[in-house]
Amino acid sequence: MSQKQYVYQSIARAVKDHGTTTMFGLMGDANLFMVDSFVRDSGGRFVPAAHEGSTVLMASAYAHVSGKVGVATVTHGPALTNCMTALVETARGRAPLVILVGDTPADNPRHLQSIDQRDVVGSTGAGFEQLRTPATVAEDVARAFYRAQVERRPIVLNMPADFMWQEAEYAPQVLDVFMEPGGAADGDVLDNAIGMIASARRPLILAGGGAVAARDQLVRLADRLEAPVATTLQSKGLFNDHPYNLDIFGTLSTPAAYDLIAQSDCIICFGTSLHDFTTDRGKLMKDKRIIQIDVDPVAIGGGLHPDAALVADAGLTADKIMYWLDEAEIPASGFTRELEPGTLTAHIDGTGKAKEGFVNYVHALERLEDALPKDRLLVTDGGRFMTEVWCRISVSDPQSFVGTVNFGAIGLGLQEAMGASLAAPDRPVVLFSGDGGFMMGGINEFNTAVRLGLDLIVIIANDSAYGAEHIQFVDRKMDPSLTEFQWPSFVDVAKSLGGDGVEVRSNDQLEQALAAIETRKGPFLIELRLDPEDVPRMRI
């Protein structure tokens, strides 16, 4: 049943009609009344951020952990341009988001904050939808949600400010979407792929982010083939309990896993675009048969050209491959019979040694792995320190891991940690960040986490430098001083913003910090003071 109401009320109601209960945002001229209506008329929750880009990142992590479409809102002009890095990160990460963005009035082309917002959005890889008229609000919002789901990327819904106080009829419009695209593979290409698999003596199954839902089918196929299993970073934790799990495939592999991958002769890749870091720039795929299965045609052949490419559903195709192997009575490869279960995921231990006034980073990570809450959600910022975190800090499943790795940016982690926390408020969130990343994007939102009372443990790897750049100067025997910074005490900053924290300069202080985790109340920061000359090299 339709009824007449203001456009700002219609937008808020349409968003709520799509099951949205939480909206992240920063208010301005073109969205403030819509936000107010979402809270007061629709009973939604509004999470106010300190920076516009943070709203997009929070919504992205919320979507990843909750499995829902994330929703954020900002106003026009500079508010949108402040979201550029976040939009690129989330578009490349294929996050299903709807971003409600205000626009300057059409009758004022010389408005100070006027900009061609369609062009701005298009350059990031996000999608763009225009709120066409006051009468089409329900349809336009439904279209934005539909596109976010099927395109798996942020969709910016452009909302002219001069619409907001116009009246129009509103009737609910929700476009239901069946979200299981793709079928099983068939035809000659499938036959060729099965032939390669059947003749392989050392096959290996690799699962990416696009194959997480097919875990059980992939495990059945791996066991049928007697093949080890591995994941990309995006699907970290998918095969935790499998006896022949290699963990992360590629430059982040353990030495034993890397050697085993090199020995394989056929890699069956499900739901991964085979990024350079996954393939070690093609080195790990050399002289092997590569079979790539993905529902996304764009993912096929992007990193390297497979021997067989199947645009198809991962789970259905795994089942079909196993069916034909059974029909042809193809014996198992016997590859895993050569391996000792549970021996392929151990990284080199840390020494625990460091210069006076510093703590050894690898040793600290090993202790944190044991001491951090087991039901944690893990979020990582970008930068030099994160590769060791990805290798040494475990997660229970891929949905419990959020890595801001899609654009090579730093300073995005705390915002995503907040979104993850609000999606799963009964679970603690652990964020790892470098000092430069925290200064860039963490400090301005730490107080937001305090205000929201989030159960957030922030671990800062502080070498008082931009470490990736520092090591390049050192390697070339050049003066690295331009990369070094005398940051303030992050513990003092955390306390001044309403949180708590502990500085760690020794193994004894590390143990004290680990004990303090048990009694934390609200956001808690651990500052690891690190020697910039003694930090593990990046593995990517």
Side-chain angles (χ1 to χ4, degrees):
M1 181 177 179
S2 64
Q3 64 182 86
K4 184 167 284 190
Q5 57 187 17
Y6 292 117
V7 166
Y8 74 83
Q9 294 172 312
S10 296
I11 297 169
R13 182 174 170 184
V15 171
K16 185 63 183 295
D17 286 343
H18 282 79
T20 303
T21 57
T22 301
M23 179 187 294
F24 302 89
L26 203 158
M27 289 192 293
D29 291 348
N31 68 344
L32 76 168
F33 300 113
M34 181 275 293
V35 168
D36 184 77
S37 179
F38 178 74
V39 174
R40 301 185 192 283
D41 300 331
S42 297
R45 182 182 191 185
F46 177 67
V47 180
H51 186 273
E52 288 90 353
S54 301
T55 70
V56 178
L57 298 167
M58 292 176 189
S60 175
Y62 183 92
H64 177 79
V65 174
S66 70
K68 303 176 181 178
V69 174
V71 177
T73 183
V74 300
T75 191
H76 41 56
L80 176 60
T81 58
N82 277 347
C83 296
M84 290 286 285
T85 297
L87 284 172
V88 175
E89 166 69 24
T90 53
R92 292 188 178 183
R94 305 196 65 190
L97 307 178
V98 171
I99 317 297
L100 306 164
V101 177
D103 200 357
T104 51
D107 64 356
N108 186 6
R110 306 187 81 173
H111 189 286
L112 183 64
Q113 294 185 329
S114 179
I115 190 173
D116 189 329
Q117 300 199 158
R118 183 185 293 271
D119 280 356
V120 169
V121 171
S123 69
T124 68
F128 187 91
E129 277 291 324
Q130 180 68 42
L131 195 65
R132 295 169 293 168
T133 69
T136 61
V137 167
E139 291 89 344
D140 296 337
V141 170
R143 172 72 176 170
F145 272 85
Y146 166 76
R147 289 187 61 193
Q149 292 176 81
V150 299
E151 296 176 25
R152 303 293 298 180
R153 62 172 175 159
I155 304 297
V156 167
L157 181 61
N158 204 55
M159 311 179 301
D162 43 342
F163 282 5
M164 293 301 168
W165 285 92
Q166 294 185 35
E167 286 188 301
E169 296 287 332
Y170 175 85
Q173 296 282 339
V174 177
L175 183 58
D176 289 331
V177 184
F178 177 69
M179 287 302 297
E180 295 293 339
D186 210 341
D188 291 342
V189 178
L190 176 64
D191 292 342
N192 292 337
I194 292 172
M196 295 176 201
I197 295 168
S199 62
R201 294 295 172 259
R202 295 182 298 279
L204 188 152
I205 287 181
L206 172 61
V212 169
R215 179 197 177 280
D216 292 345
Q217 294 98 318
L218 299 189
V219 167
R220 287 197 294 271
L221 178 59
D223 292 346
R224 168 65 176 80
L225 291 170
E226 295 184 353
V229 293
T231 74
T232 64
L233 179 61
Q234 283 194 338
S235 52
K236 175 179 168 65
L238 186 64
F239 299 125
N240 278 346
D241 57 351
H242 195 277
Y244 301 106
N245 175 28
L246 305 187
D247 202 17
I248 302 174
F249 184 110
T251 56
L252 299 175
S253 293
T254 66
Y258 193 98
D259 289 344
L260 189 69
I261 294 166
Q263 296 170 27
S264 67
D265 58 3
C266 179
I267 302 178
I268 313 161
C269 310
F270 292 90
T272 170
S273 59
L274 298 176
H275 192 280
D276 278 355
F277 297 143
T278 300
T279 68
D280 197 1
R281 297 191 175 182
K283 293 176 186 176
L284 281 173
M285 303 313 207
K286 190 176 181 181
D287 300 324
K288 298 173 175 57
R289 297 295 191 124
I290 307 300
I291 299 161
Q292 191 177 6
I293 300 118
D294 204 299
V295 294
D296 182 7
V298 177
I300 301 291
L304 53 80
H305 289 282
D307 295 284
L310 307 169
V311 180
D313 178 84
L316 294 175
T317 302
D319 283 343
K320 180 167 273 193
I321 291 171
M322 193 162 74
Y323 171 82
W324 286 114
L325 291 173
D326 289 343
E327 283 290 300
E329 299 182 351
I330 302 298
S333 71
F335 191 19
T336 55
R337 297 177 209 169
E338 308 169 11
L339 310 176
E340 186 176 342
T343 62
L344 300 167
T345 57
H347 290 271
I348 299 172
D349 293 337
T351 64
K353 297 179 180 179
K355 291 180 183 177
E356 186 72 23
F358 299 112
V359 66
N360 180 273
Y361 185 49
V362 170
H363 172 71
L365 292 179
E366 291 170 346
R367 291 293 298 121
L368 285 161
E369 165 66 10
D370 293 334
L372 289 169
K374 302 306 178 190
D375 61 338
R376 61 183 174 257
L377 296 170
L378 174 64
V379 181
T380 60
D381 200 7
R384 175 188 185 187
F385 299 105
M386 295 307 113
T387 54
E388 290 297 329
V389 175
W390 298 333
C391 295
R392 297 177 186 275
I393 304 298
S394 62
V395 294
S396 57
D397 56 74
Q399 201 169 359
S400 298
F401 171 65
V402 180
T404 58
V405 297
N406 299 293
F407 191 32
I410 65 172
L412 312 182
L414 183 60
Q415 303 91 312
E416 298 232 5
M418 292 171 57
S421 183
L422 288 163
D426 57 333
R427 298 177 65 184
V429 175
V430 177
L431 166 69
F432 282 86
S433 175
D435 48 335
F438 190 73
M439 284 294 293
M440 185 180 295
I443 285 180
N444 61 353
E445 296 298 354
F446 190 85
N447 180 252
T448 307
V450 171
R451 286 188 284 108
L452 296 171
L454 303 183
D455 187 4
L456 179 61
I457 302 167
V458 178
I459 299 163
I460 305 296
N462 181 11
D463 65 349
S464 298
Y466 280 119
E469 291 71 26
H470 183 278
I471 199 65
Q472 291 188 58
F473 279 108
V474 171
D475 283 348
R476 295 180 181 273
K477 296 180 172 54
M478 297 171 66
D479 180 2
S481 59
L482 289 175
T483 69
E484 297 171 354
F485 296 84
Q486 292 302 314
W487 305 121
S489 163
F490 292 117
V491 172
D492 288 348
V493 169
K495 291 179 177 179
S496 71
L497 293 173
D500 199 4
V502 176
E503 184 182 61
V504 174
R505 288 182 175 271
S506 68
N507 288 345
D508 287 342
Q509 289 181 343
L510 175 62
E511 297 305 316
Q512 294 169 17
L514 300 181
I517 290 174
E518 299 295 326
T519 58
R520 70 189 184 280
K521 295 179 181 178
F524 181 74
L525 185 146
I526 298 174
E527 182 177 356
L528 303 177
R529 296 306 301 266
L530 306 176
D531 178 0
E533 307 289 343
D534 186 34
V535 176
R537 299 293 182 120
M538 292 182 71
R539 304 193 195 187
I540 57 177

